[in-house]
């Protein structure tokens, strides 16, 4: 009987551990899987033969996994490139009788999962590989949306809604422009979710700056000035990935990760300086950063439930003999919200990016359309349950016993 390995990769989401829970419980309850391991810090830990054995963990602690933020087993941004990396990886799999591998991540992680699947076929190694999707960026191909997005969208909408209320209270003789920077490396899905703040007609941001729309300084300043004249203040949400007409990022941190992705940042400060120097008004900037992707306490119930489901579905499908796939969410109806889970080929997902469609963007490029609101609204519904003690949330406290190394 073969064993299974689950691992987490890339930036976390508020519900990545819900997917971990779904996959782990399904594997533990299967009669076809021996022991269930978790890679310590993703594929990096597996290469180092660092595995947690979850088989004998207390079930009470397993049950706390989906209530926990971060990545309970650790994550990484390690890229598999060298032949010796693959040789080492499969030696570890062989040494621990691993026949099932579940990789929970985004674009780059799906590329890693695909490479491992392809290598297993080349080597005739008996390994079934499944990609479990997650990303707050919501830009994975061949899926309606990604687990993690709904919760980050909910946080974004609530945060800008509250901050805009604050701004409205103070603008008469203080701050007139508030700018919140949003995550989103290549696509504006998360930035766009700020529009949900005005869902019941209370004012949210008046301007949303998306990476799919080339930034024009003069047009932007003119719009801000118009909004201030009309409302007295201007609330803005801007994507960290804003680009100019030349296609280059407006603001970066100046370094790259292991996958060659430029690290973005400081777009808020860039815009703040632009507004302050040209419009001569007080500006405040907020950078949610990790808070935007890890705020488990206000996670979406729909998102949390779906995250559990995709993890369990991945296990179910590999036990049916499938390999080399990512679990996909196929929406069948907006109202009521209905969906189905399917399998899509990893080769068609790896390293791809899904931008915000044109029909989700307003004609002037400074907001989103009603079509986007209809798309995003179901994904933030409900509040995922939390476990609290003495006023603070409580999380898992597993023993996390490491497997004895054999290599």
């Amino acid at each position: 009987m073969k064993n299974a390995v689950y691992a987490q990769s890339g930036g976390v989401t508020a519900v990545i551990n819900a997917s971990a829970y779904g996959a782990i419980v399904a594997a533990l309850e299967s009669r076809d899987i021996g022991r269930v391991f978790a890679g310590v810090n993703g594929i990096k830990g597996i290469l180092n033969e660092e595995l947690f054995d979850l088989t004998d963990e207390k079930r009470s602690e397993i049950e706390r996994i989906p209530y926990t933020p971060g990545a309970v087993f650790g994550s990484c941004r390690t890229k598999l490139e060298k032949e010796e990396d693959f040789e080492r990886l499969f030696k570890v799999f062989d040494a621990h009788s691993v026949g099932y591998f579940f990789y929970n991540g985004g674009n780059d992680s799906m590329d890693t999962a695909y490479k491992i699947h392809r290598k297993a076929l080349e080597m005739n190694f008996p390994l079934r590989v499944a990609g479990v999707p997650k990303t707050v960026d919501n830009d994975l191909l061949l899926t309606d949306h990604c687990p993690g997005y709904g919760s980050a969208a909910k946080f974004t909408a609530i945060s800008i809604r509250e901050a805009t209320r604050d701004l409205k209270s103070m603008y008469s003789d203080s701050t007139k422009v508030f700018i919140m920077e949003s995550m989103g490396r290549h696509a504006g899905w998360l930035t766009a979710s700020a529009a949900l703040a005005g869902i019941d007609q209370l004012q949210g941001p008046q301007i949303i700056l998306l990476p799919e729309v080339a930034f024009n300084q003069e047009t932007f300043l003119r719009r801000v000035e118009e909004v201030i004249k009309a409302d007295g203040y201007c609330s803005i949400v801007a994507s960290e990935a804003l680009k100019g007409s030349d296609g280059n990022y407006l603001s970066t941190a100046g370094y790259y990760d292991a996958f060659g992705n430029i690290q973005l940042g400081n777009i808020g400060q860039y815009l703040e300086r632009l507004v302050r120097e040209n419009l001569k008004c007080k500006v405040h900037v907020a950078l949610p950063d990790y808070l935007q992707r890890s705020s488990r306490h206000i996670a979406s119930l729909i998102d949390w439930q779906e995250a559990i489901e995709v993890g369990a579905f991945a296990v179910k499908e590999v036990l049916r003999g499938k390999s080399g796939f990512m679990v996909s969410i196929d929406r069948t109806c907006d109202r009521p919200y209905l969906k189905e889970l399917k399998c899509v080929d990893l080769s068609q997902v790896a390293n791809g990016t899904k931008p915000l469609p044109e029909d989700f963007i307003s004609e002037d490029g400074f907001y989103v359309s009603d079509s986007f609101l209809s798309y995003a609204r179901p994904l933030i519904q409900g509040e995922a349950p939390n476990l609290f003690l003495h006023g603070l949330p409580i999380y898992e406290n597993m023993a996390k016993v490491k497997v004895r190394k054999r290599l």
Side-chain angles (χ1 to χ4, degrees):
M1 185 179 292
K2 292 293 185 177
N3 301 321
V5 172
Y6 164 87
Q8 300 170 308
S9 178
V12 305
T13 77
V15 298
I16 187 173
N17 294 325
S19 290
Y21 173 79
I24 290 164
V25 170
L28 288 172
E29 293 181 351
S30 170
R31 296 180 179 179
D32 298 313
I33 294 176
R35 303 194 75 79
V36 180
F37 305 136
V40 181
N41 298 320
I43 203 72
K44 178 181 179 180
I46 301 174
L47 287 170
N48 292 327
E49 201 184 358
E50 293 183 339
L51 304 168
F52 292 129
D53 191 341
L54 307 177
T55 316
D56 300 320
E57 281 282 358
K58 289 182 180 179
R59 190 55 186 259
S60 60
E61 293 302 327
I62 294 289
E63 291 299 321
R64 287 187 180 184
I65 290 176
Y67 299 94
T68 304
V72 295
F73 306 114
S75 187
C76 71
R77 294 193 184 278
T78 300
K79 186 174 185 178
L80 291 180
E81 288 184 301
K82 301 176 182 178
E83 187 62 30
E84 50 262 42
D85 288 338
F86 288 99
E87 291 176 1
R88 170 66 178 180
L89 184 69
F90 281 92
K91 283 181 180 178
V92 173
F93 284 155
D94 186 50
H96 296 277
S97 300
V98 174
Y100 309 97
F101 178 57
F102 306 96
Y103 212 32
N104 196 176
N107 311 69
D108 295 332
S109 305
M110 294 306 109
D111 176 59
T112 297
Y114 173 58
K115 287 177 178 177
I116 293 172
H117 166 68
R118 191 176 59 193
K119 199 66 176 179
L121 293 177
E122 289 177 9
M123 298 172 59
N124 198 29
F125 189 95
L127 180 72
R128 297 177 192 169
V129 179
V132 182
K134 72 90 197 144
T135 174
V136 298
D137 292 347
N138 200 41
D139 59 354
L140 282 171
L141 295 172
L142 302 184
T143 184
D144 177 79
H145 57 279
C146 305
Y149 173 66
S151 295
K154 190 179 185 81
F155 173 89
T156 300
I158 291 173
S159 297
I160 192 62
R161 188 176 194 179
E162 294 177 338
T164 300
R165 282 282 187 163
D166 187 304
L167 180 65
K168 289 174 70 175
S169 303
M170 300 295 295
Y171 77 87
S172 65
D173 62 358
S174 185
T175 304
K176 292 203 181 307
V177 177
F178 176 78
I179 302 170
M180 187 171 89
E181 181 176 321
S182 175
M183 287 181 164
R185 176 179 301 282
H186 300 298
W189 295 97
L190 189 52
T191 307
S193 68
L196 295 166
I199 205 167
D200 65 354
Q201 306 309 309
L202 288 173
Q203 191 77 304
Q206 295 113 315
I207 295 176
I208 296 177
L209 301 176
L210 302 164
E212 287 82 2
V213 180
F215 182 80
N216 180 281
Q217 177 175 314
E218 289 71 27
T219 305
F220 166 69
L221 290 171
R222 184 163 58 248
R223 173 54 63 91
V224 173
E225 192 170 29
E226 291 171 352
V227 170
I228 292 175
K229 285 181 178 179
D231 299 336
Y233 65 93
C234 184
S235 177
I236 302 169
V237 177
S239 169
E240 64 179 355
L242 283 187
K243 295 179 180 180
S245 57
D246 59 1
N248 293 322
Y249 291 114
L250 295 181
S251 179
T252 71
Y255 62 94
Y256 296 79
D257 67 15
F259 286 86
N261 299 312
I262 184 69
Q263 296 303 288
L264 305 176
N266 301 319
I267 192 64
Q269 283 75 16
Y270 175 93
L271 296 172
E272 184 269 340
R273 185 171 60 254
L274 202 61
V275 172
R276 177 171 44 79
E277 292 178 355
N278 287 275
L279 302 184
K280 310 302 180 184
C281 60
K282 187 175 180 180
V283 184
H284 265 232
V285 177
L287 177 63
D289 199 48
Y290 280 14
L291 301 178
Q292 194 174 22
R293 73 187 193 191
S294 65
S295 293
R296 174 61 187 78
H297 63 287
I298 54 168
S300 155
L301 178 61
I302 289 291
D303 192 31
W304 186 72
Q305 291 173 332
E306 288 186 340
I308 294 173
E309 290 171 9
V310 297
F313 188 80
V315 175
K316 173 187 172 184
E317 292 302 298
V318 298
L319 292 176
R320 291 179 58 198
K322 293 185 180 180
S323 183
F325 69 89
M326 182 190 79
V327 180
S328 169
I329 301 173
D330 182 22
R331 185 186 307 215
T332 57
C333 186
D334 280 334
R335 298 187 62 176
Y337 171 66
L338 299 170
K339 58 88 176 50
E340 297 176 354
L341 298 184
K342 296 183 176 179
C343 298
V344 295
D345 197 313
L346 276 171
S347 65
Q348 299 179 47
V349 179
N351 282 326
T353 300
K354 180 176 66 178
L356 197 68
E358 284 187 22
D359 66 328
F360 279 9
I361 304 172
S362 64
E363 289 187 15
D364 63 10
F366 284 113
Y367 212 71
V368 299
S369 67
D370 289 341
S371 296
F372 170 78
L373 294 175
S374 296
Y375 164 85
R377 190 172 289 130
L379 307 182
I380 67 168
Q381 297 306 307
E383 288 70 51
N386 289 284
L387 302 176
F388 278 87
L389 180 66
H390 302 312
L392 293 173
I394 54 176
Y395 308 133
E396 58 79 25
N397 188 28
M398 292 181 287
K400 295 180 182 175
V401 176
K402 286 188 178 180
V403 175
R404 182 176 60 82
K405 291 188 178 183
R406 299 179 179 179
L407 296 178

